[in-house]
C-alpha cells in the first residue's frame, strides 16, 4: 500500500509539473496615505473603469539624424500575435472582474451601478461605454482593450491633477472610487541610431510576454507624444481635506510569463538615409499596421494559462492589500 501511495503521489507530481506554467515571482508594493481613513467612508465603491489591455501588435519606431554622408532615416517594425481568440480574452477579463468584486463584497463593500452614479449631477452627462466587446486601439495602438461583460464605463474627462479619482470621490459625497488597469505586452524592442556618417535607423526586437508595470506606446510617427498605459489598482476616498485616503497596489517589476514565446529569436528592421541630405526614408506604418505585422506563432493555451496566472496573482495581492491597509 505504501508503495502504491508513493507511486500515485509521484504521478500526480509529474502531471502537475507538466501542466505548470512558468511565471515569474510577484514583486509588489503598496503606496498611498492615511489608509485607516478609508474606514470613515461608506462601504460603497464606484468602480470607474476596469480595463485589461492585451497587446496584439507591437510597434517600434527608430529615427536617426543625418550625418556627413547620409541624410536622416526612420524605420518601423510591427510584430503580431497569431492565433489568439478575442472571445477567450473577454472570458478571462470577466473572470478577473468577478474575482475582484467577490473579494470586495466579502469585505463588506458593495459596487455601485452606473445608473446609481449618474444620479449625481457631475456624472449625469457622462458617456456610457458598455463592456463585453474587446476593442482594438481603444486606449493604445496595438492593444486590444477589454472591459467586463455587463459593466458600464462612465467616460469623464480627467485632468492631469485628478490621477486617482479625487474629483469623482468628492462629487459623490466621499464614496470610494476604484480604478483597475492591467497591461500585458508580448514583445519589447531596442532601437539603434547611426553615427557621424549618417542616418542608420535600426530596430532589434524580441518576444517578452509579461504583466507590465508601465508601457510607452507610440501614437504618431514622430513618437513625441506616446500613450502611457500601466498595471495598477487604485482606491481613492476624498470627503474633505481632513477625510481623505488613497491606496495603490503597484508592480515594482514585471511578472514574466515564460515558456510561451521564443524569446531568443530576434526581429530586425533597418533603414539607411539617402545620400546628399535628401528626404528621409519613410517607413512608418499607417492605419494598416496590423496587416503588415510580422506574425509570431504562439501556443495559445500556454498564453491563456500564463497570462491568467500572472494577472490573478497580482490582482489578488492588490485587493488583499487594500482590505488589509484600510482595516476592512
Amino acid at each position: 500500500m505504501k508503495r502504491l501511495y508513493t507511486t500515485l503521489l509521484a504521478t500526480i507530481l509529474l502531471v502537475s509539473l507538466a501542466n505548470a506554467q512558468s511565471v515569474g515571482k510577484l514583486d509588489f508594493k503598496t503606496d498611498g496615505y492615511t489608509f485607516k481613513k478609508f474606514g470613515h467612508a461608506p462601504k460603497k465603491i464606484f468602480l470607474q473603469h476596469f480595463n485589461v489591455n492585451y497587446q496584439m501588435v507591437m510597434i517600434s519606431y527608430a529615427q536617426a539624424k543625418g550625418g556627413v554622408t547620409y541624410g536622416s532615416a526612420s524605420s518601423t517594425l510591427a510584430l503580431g500575435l497569431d492565433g489568439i481568440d478575442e472571445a477567450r480574452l473577454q472570458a478571462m477579463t470577466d473572470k478577473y472582474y468577478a474575482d475582484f468584486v467577490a473579494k470586495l463584497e466579502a469585505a463588506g463593500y458593495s459596487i455601485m451601478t452606473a445608473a446609481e452614479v449618474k444620479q449625481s449631477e457631475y456624472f449625469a452627462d457622462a458617456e456610457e461605454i458598455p463592456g463585453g466587446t474587446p476593442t482594438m486601439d481603444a486606449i493604445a495602438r496595438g492593444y486590444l482593450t477589454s472591459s467586463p461583460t455587463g459593466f458600464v464605463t462612465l467616460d469623464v474627462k480627467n485632468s492631469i491633477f485628478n490621477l486617482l479619482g479625487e474629483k469623482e470621490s468628492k462629487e459623490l459625497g466621499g464614496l470610494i472610487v476604484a480604478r483597475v488597469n492591467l497591461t500585458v505586452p508580448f514583445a519589447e524592442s531596442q532601437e539603434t541610431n547611426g553615427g557621424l556618417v549618417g542616418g542608420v535607423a535600426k530596430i532589434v526586437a524580441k518576444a517578452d510576454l509579461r504583466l507590465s508595470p508601465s508601457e510607452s506606446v507610440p501614437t504618431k510617427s514622430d513618437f513625441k507624444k506616446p500613450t502611457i498605459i500601466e498595471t495598477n489598482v487604485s482606491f481613492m476616498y476624498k470627503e474633505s481635506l481632513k477625510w481623505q485616503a488613497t491606496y495603490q497596489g503597484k508592480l515594482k517589476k514585471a511578472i514574466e510569463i515564460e515558456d510561451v514565446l521564443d524569446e531568443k529569436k530576434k526581429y530586425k528592421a533597418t533603414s539607411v538615409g539617402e545620400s546628399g541630405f535628401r528626404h528621409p526614408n519613410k517607413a512608418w506604418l499607417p492605419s494598416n499596421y496590423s496587416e503588415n505585422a510580422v506574425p509570431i506563432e504562439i501556443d495559445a493555451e500556454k498564453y491563456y494559462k500564463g497570462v491568467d496566472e500572472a494577472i490573478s496573482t497580482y490582482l489578488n495581492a492588490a485587493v488583499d492589500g487594500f482590505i488589509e491597509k484600510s482595516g476592512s
Side-chain angles (χ1 to χ4, degrees), residues 32-261:
Y33 56 81
T34 59
F35 298 120
K36 295 300 181 182
K37 289 188 178 181
F38 277 112
H40 189 266
K43 286 281 191 174
K44 287 187 175 183
I45 292 177
F46 167 40
L47 182 55
Q48 189 170 7
H49 55 244
F50 192 108
N51 295 323
V52 187
N53 305 303
Y54 304 96
Q55 188 180 47
M56 295 291 102
V57 181
M58 187 224 71
I59 313 160
S60 185
Y61 181 80
Q63 191 169 34
K65 295 181 179 180
V68 176
T69 306
Y70 292 97
S72 60
S74 61
S75 186
T76 302
L77 177 65
L79 306 178
L81 280 186
D82 194 21
I84 299 300
D85 180 40
E86 290 187 9
R88 185 73 174 269
L89 296 182
Q90 181 61 51
M92 290 166 62
T93 296
D94 291 346
K95 170 182 174 291
Y96 306 140
Y97 173 71
D99 292 344
F100 178 83
V101 171
K103 273 185 172 290
L104 291 173
E105 289 181 340
Y109 290 96
S110 62
I111 306 298
M112 299 180 70
T113 65
E116 289 178 292
V117 175
K118 292 202 74 173
Q119 292 178 15
S120 167
E121 183 179 352
Y122 179 75
F123 295 95
D125 297 326
E127 180 185 358
E128 298 185 21
I129 304 174
T133 304
T135 306
M136 194 69 178
D137 299 339
I139 293 180
R141 177 168 285 193
Y143 281 82
L144 188 75
T145 296
S146 170
S147 60
T149 302
F151 179 80
V152 177
T153 299
L154 295 181
D155 188 16
V156 179
K157 304 302 180 183
N158 293 302
S159 74
I160 60 173
F161 302 105
N162 183 27
L163 300 178
L164 298 177
E166 296 93 329
K167 177 71 172 176
E168 287 83 351
S169 180
K170 192 171 183 180
E171 290 290 341
L172 289 172
L175 296 184
I176 297 172
V177 173
R179 296 174 177 176
V180 176
N181 292 290
L182 305 162
T183 299
V184 187
F186 73 88
E188 64 176 0
S189 65
Q190 179 181 7
E191 59 184 57
T192 304
N193 296 332
L196 295 176
V197 296
V200 179
K202 181 180 180 181
I203 301 168
V204 179
K206 69 182 184 69
D208 183 12
L209 182 62
R210 63 205 185 275
L211 181 65
S212 175
S214 181
E215 292 294 310
S216 177
V217 185
T219 56
K220 296 181 180 180
S221 58
D222 59 13
F223 276 37
K224 291 181 179 179
K225 296 181 179 179
T227 299
I228 305 299
I229 54 176
E230 61 182 1
T231 292
N232 191 28
V233 172
S234 68
F235 293 85
M236 180 72 211
Y237 157 61
K238 184 171 184 178
E239 189 173 345
S240 65
L241 290 177
K242 178 182 179 181
W243 295 106
Q244 58 180 316
T246 183
Y247 166 90
Q248 292 186 76
K250 295 182 175 181
L251 284 175
K252 294 172 67 175
K253 295 181 180 179
I255 300 180
E256 300 293 338
I257 306 170
E258 302 172 351
D259 301 329
V260 178
L261 296 165

Side-chain angles (χ1 to χ4, degrees), residues 283-305:
W284 175 248
L285 300 178
S287 58
N288 64 339
Y289 70 90
S290 295
E291 299 173 6
N292 290 277
V294 177
I296 295 180
E297 294 184 1
I298 187 172
D299 186 323
E301 289 302 320
K302 283 188 175 182
Y303 173 90
Y304 302 136
K305 187 173 182 180

